Amino acid sequence: MGEGFQYRDGTLFAEDVPLPAIAAAVGTPVYVYAANAMRAAYRRLAGALATVPAGRRTTLCYAVKANSNLAVIRTLGREGCGGDVVSVGELRRCLMAGIPADRIVFSGVGKTRAELAAAVEAGIKQFNVESLPELEILSQVAAEQGRVAPVALRVNPDVDALTLKQITTGTRDAKFGIDIERAPDLYRHARALPNLDCGGIAMHIGSQVTDLKPFRDAYQRLADLAKLLRADGFPISRLDLGGGLAITYRDEVPADPDGFAALIEDIVGPLDCELMLEPGRVLVGNAGLLLSSVIYPKTDLARPFLIVDAAMNDLIRPALYGAWHAIVPVAEPRPGTPEAPVDVVGPVCESTDCFAQARHLPPLASGDLVAFLSAGAYGAVMAGEYNTRPLVPEVLVDGARFAVVRKRPTFAEMVAGESMPDWLDDRPAAAGAP
Ligand code: LLP
């Protein structure tokens, strides 16, 4: 269920707030986040790391792509978390939310010159560079500003993360990183470029990685490379180990934080480097749910459907990756209530707008509330406006308090950026206009 959410007297609560109260105040669909569950996830990981020397040299840089709501970033930032960003937009969000620049790393395969310039100006902790041309542009940009940019080359260790194919990033056929065998050449090249401090190595092998073995294999390769580079005269002092720690959506057993910390100590501890991690999902995934109402049960068919007011534009993971999210009624079913298989679908005009097939649920009627669990990561951030559906709002719960942290746009706001070209404009031309 995620620790921020539990039934009390037959109603599902987010921390101390009953979900029907949020639905009544904000409407549905709406994302609901439990701040204390996020803090707990952060403290679990930070606490495990604090038990080993290498962990105490580690900065946790929250991968804000998982959930970039400003209030979420600030909640984690106040815990001491840094940020991992992949665009200037995410960088600005982190700064706005109060994360100091010296705790921000910039990842991503296609950072533009303008983005690099903004990040150099902000004075971020590290650039995880993914190609030779990027390295050259970064050097120029840093020189223009008279600064030295701290760099890690993101290497691709060619290790299979044993996760969904769509979210694997560390194998040789991925667009990410630099082939680990080519890395020494690139470091030599980088050494010749001005205004760069190439004392780092970075990697990220994929997401929702349940097993420790891929981490062990990849970190071993990273450690081997660090030793090789040091022998070649490079003062490697920073290692960014990426993100990827899994959560339980259904029955996955994620790697436990203590085992993960022990692994880090074991493999990279002896190098005595400053370390960074880029966890996203593990900090926020199970701290959020998507609250939705049943529009119509269409259960008189051979294949019964439950049509809800959330859709693939609000939570795209099932449509995009075949991902599984638990779906639970907000009114707790009485023990012994019969369940029947039903396809849970949204109103969008696409057959892929399907959250679950033949899911066993108790009988539900129009207006009943349901919750899609484990939706705190890669939920709202991947939402869109397909079918002119307004971007789904977000609510943050903290104990008995809740606040709308992104409102539902009005129709006027949704179309505000659009305009008619003059040849389609049917307002009368202004007097004197040509
Ligand atoms: N660092 C880098 C460079 C990344 O590309 C990612 C995720 C992370 C860190 C954070 O990974 P995490 O700890 O959250 O696993 N939309 C997909 C997940 C895509 C992940 C992309 N990169 C999903 O819904 O499952």
Side-chain angles (χ1 to χ4, degrees):
M1 184 82 68
E3 68 193 283
F5 306 103
Q6 68 293 113
Y7 287 111
R8 281 192 206 164
D9 299 328
T11 299
L12 189 57
F13 274 60
E15 301 198 358
D16 298 327
V17 179
L19 289 174
I22 295 177
V26 188
T28 55
V30 56
Y31 276 97
V32 180
Y33 308 133
N36 286 307
M38 293 179 180
R39 295 185 185 110
Y42 174 82
R43 288 175 195 170
R44 224 174 358 257
L45 185 54
L49 289 164
T51 63
V52 296
R56 293 193 284 276
R57 297 191 302 270
T58 303
T59 306
L60 286 177
C61 297
Y62 166 53
V64 302
K65 65 167 77 67
N67 184 330
S68 55
N69 186 284
L70 290 168
V72 169
I73 300 176
R74 179 164 294 180
T75 298
L76 290 169
R78 292 231 171 126
E79 292 293 303
C81 205
D84 165 45
V85 304
V86 291
S87 69
V88 73
E90 287 189 350
L91 170 61
R92 292 177 68 175
R93 280 179 180 275
C94 281
L95 295 172
M96 248 176 111
I99 295 197
D102 64 6
R103 272 198 261 144
I104 297 175
V105 297
F106 198 168
S107 302
V109 67
K111 310 173 197 78
T112 65
R113 174 186 278 270
E115 288 182 310
L116 292 171
V120 169
E121 199 175 335
I124 66 164
K125 181 174 186 66
Q126 181 167 286
F127 294 82
N128 294 347
V129 171
E130 300 213 19
S131 66
L132 178 58
E134 183 189 344
L135 202 58
E136 288 170 341
I137 298 289
L138 180 59
S139 166
Q140 284 170 22
V141 163
E144 278 158 24
Q145 295 190 26
R147 301 196 189 206
V148 173
V151 168
L153 290 188
R154 174 173 173 186
V155 295
N156 183 330
D158 198 25
V159 166
D160 188 346
L162 308 174
T163 178
L164 289 177
K165 188 171 117 321
Q166 299 98 319
I167 54 178
T168 294
T169 53
T171 52
R172 191 158 290 166
D173 51 358
K175 71 177 174 182
F176 301 102
I178 291 156
D179 196 334
I180 196 159
E181 264 107 61
R182 285 197 49 228
D185 274 352
L186 239 85
Y187 275 92
R188 271 178 226 120
H189 189 95
R191 180 156 49 186
L193 294 172
N195 297 76
L196 300 181
D197 150 18
C198 294
I201 315 177
M203 68 166 49
H204 169 75
I205 56 172
S207 201
Q208 185 58 12
V209 183
T210 46
D211 203 36
L212 280 181
K213 177 147 186 342
F215 289 120
R216 177 174 287 278
D217 293 349
Y219 296 171
Q220 189 58 60
R221 292 188 150 210
L222 188 75
D224 292 346
L225 175 64
K227 283 179 216 150
L228 193 87
L229 289 171
R230 278 183 174 171
D232 206 6
F234 292 94
I236 297 296
S237 63
R238 299 182 305 270
L239 300 178
D240 181 338
L241 305 175
L245 289 168
I247 60 168
T248 302
Y249 285 95
R250 189 177 193 173
D251 48 17
E252 304 89 333
V253 183
D256 91 292
D258 293 321
F260 184 64
L263 167 80
I264 291 176
E265 177 59 30
D266 187 26
I267 311 250
V268 296
L271 292 166
D272 202 26
C273 283
E274 180 185 354
L275 301 176
M276 282 152 260
L277 282 170
E278 303 168 354
R281 186 186 324 257
V282 73
L283 299 183
V284 293
N286 274 329
L289 56 73
L290 174 60
L291 183 60
S292 176
S293 307
V294 174
I295 307 180
Y296 301 119
K298 216 170 143 180
T299 43
D300 49 340
L301 309 173
R303 187 174 184 112
F305 291 97
L306 191 69
I307 300 164
V308 299
D309 66 359
M312 62 185 282
N313 69 295
D314 304 309
L315 175 64
I316 203 175
R317 302 191 70 254
L320 197 57
Y321 312 121
W324 193 97
H325 284 263
I327 307 171
V328 299
V330 168
E332 187 176 19
R334 292 177 192 290
T337 307
E339 293 189 339
V342 62
D343 285 13
V344 182
V345 301
V348 160
C349 301
E350 294 263 359
S351 297
T352 54
D353 184 22
C354 177
F355 290 113
Q357 289 183 329
R359 187 64 64 88
H360 286 252
L361 286 172
L364 288 160
S366 296
D368 285 351
L369 294 169
V370 293
F372 294 82
L373 304 184
S374 310
Y378 307 110
V381 282
M382 295 180 80
E385 291 185 338
Y386 187 36
N387 280 202
T388 306
R389 292 169 51 85
L391 270 188
V392 55
E394 298 168 275
V395 162
L396 184 69
V397 175
D398 194 348
R401 299 177 288 193
F402 75 89
V404 175
V405 291
R406 185 176 73 187
K407 76 178 195 74
R408 192 187 314 278
T410 62
F411 175 73
E413 286 162 346
M414 288 172 76
V415 296
E418 298 183 30
S419 53
M420 286 295 170
D422 55 2
W423 66 90
L424 288 177
D425 197 347
D426 33 62
R427 284 174 305 182

